[in-house]
Structures are given as structure tokens and as C-alpha cells.
Amino acid sequence: MEPDELGAAPGAQADTATARQRLRLWLQMLKAVRHVESDLRERLRQGYDMTLPRFDVLAALLAAPDGLRMTELSQQLMVSNGNVTGIVDRLVADGMAERETVENDRRAFRVRISDTGAALMREMTARHLGWINELFADVTEADAARGISIMLDIRHKARR
């Protein structure tokens, strides 16, 4: 007997059914993330003339009062240094962030959020919390906890 298209041996139909269900889960997760991101992008654009990547950089900087090296920032956001550099350049030009050279390494920069950026970010994060709460209004606390647990399990398994 030949294996099926998922590579399962004959008689492993339960495993194949589980694999197909997991694939459906992944596709629904992806669609849900895209839906929420699209909604947030539009709300940030309309309410603050802000992009989601700029919001993400400001959020990381707000959480690090001493600032972050560019490499630390790119690692936290899981994007390339080049992508972060362009965003930081614009945030600095707009007065939302400040860049300084790192002592003992003139090539390295530390970026920190400015007072103006921090004030705006505190306002946006409060609104962001409300938007997320609205988008997830039908999700119970227990379902949210279960979803978080599943996502953490997936991430931790990927690191092994």
C-alpha cells in the first residue's frame, strides 16, 4: 500500500485526520492574525497617522527606559537591522525617539523613546488595549487563557 499525500502509512487515518485538522487550525490562526492586524493598522493610521511597525518600535522602546541598541531592537521585533534603521530614522526625525552612540563603540547606537514619543505611546497603548478588547469581545477569559497556552506550547516546541 502507498502512503497518502501527507506521508502517512496505510491505517494511519486518525493521524492524517489530526494533521488535516491542525492544518485548518493554522490557516484559521493566520486569517485571524491578518484580520486583527489589518484592523489595527487602519485604526492607527486614522487615529494617529501611525504605522504598525512604528508602533511596534515605540512599544519596544517604551518598555526599555534605558534604550536599546539597534541590534537588540531588531532581535526583539524579529526583523532585520535594515528594517529597524529606516523606522528609527523616521521616529528620530519626528521627535519620537532619540539616538546616541554607545560608549566604547562609535559604530553602535542606542535608541530611546523621547518624552514626546512616550506621551503619545501611552495614549496609543491605552487605545490599543480598548481596540483589542473590542475585537476579542466574544472570547471568554477561559478561552483566552487556553489560546495563550496553545500559542506558548507551539512557540516552545519550535525552540527545541
Side-chain angles (χ1 to χ4, degrees):
M1 297 199 135
E2 296 291 316
D4 69 12
E5 70 264 16
L6 294 175
Q13 294 190 349
D15 291 341
T16 301
T18 300
R20 289 181 194 283
Q21 190 69 346
R22 288 175 178 151
L23 177 60
R24 285 193 283 279
L25 171 62
W26 161 241
L27 293 173
Q28 290 306 314
M29 287 169 43
L30 190 58
K31 288 177 184 178
V33 166
R34 287 180 177 163
H35 169 74
V36 171
E37 279 187 343
S38 174
D39 189 278
L40 292 176
R41 283 179 200 280
E42 187 59 23
R43 290 178 192 229
L44 285 168
R45 187 188 63 74
Q46 286 183 1
Y48 296 96
D49 194 28
M50 177 70 56
T51 65
L52 194 53
R54 284 171 52 112
F55 177 87
D56 290 342
V57 168
L58 286 173
L61 294 176
L62 186 65
D66 293 334
L68 295 168
R69 286 178 175 229
M70 294 294 283
T71 54
E72 294 169 326
L73 186 56
S74 64
Q75 287 171 348
Q76 272 193 21
L77 299 173
M78 295 186 288
V79 296
S80 72
N81 277 344
N83 287 345
V84 171
T85 299
I87 294 167
V88 167
D89 287 348
R90 288 186 294 281
L91 289 172
V92 168
D94 292 344
M96 300 293 166
E98 301 163 349
R99 182 185 293 127
E100 61 190 32
T101 43
V102 174
E103 283 186 41
N104 305 326
D105 189 352
R106 290 183 154 177
R107 295 171 300 151
F109 290 99
R110 179 173 298 283
V111 181
R112 74 180 46 160
I113 196 166
S114 69
D115 291 341
T116 302
L120 177 63
M121 198 58 203
R122 282 191 285 278
E123 179 185 330
M124 286 191 302
T125 54
R127 295 286 305 275
H128 182 268
L129 176 64
W131 296 335
I132 294 295
N133 192 47
E134 180 185 321
L135 288 166
F136 286 70
D138 294 333
V139 178
T140 67
E141 186 174 351
D143 285 345
R146 174 98 173 106
I148 291 167
S149 178
I150 292 168
M151 297 304 115
L152 289 171
D153 288 349
I154 291 168
R155 287 179 53 208
H156 289 141
K157 181 172 179 139
R159 290 186 189 150
R160 291 185 219 157

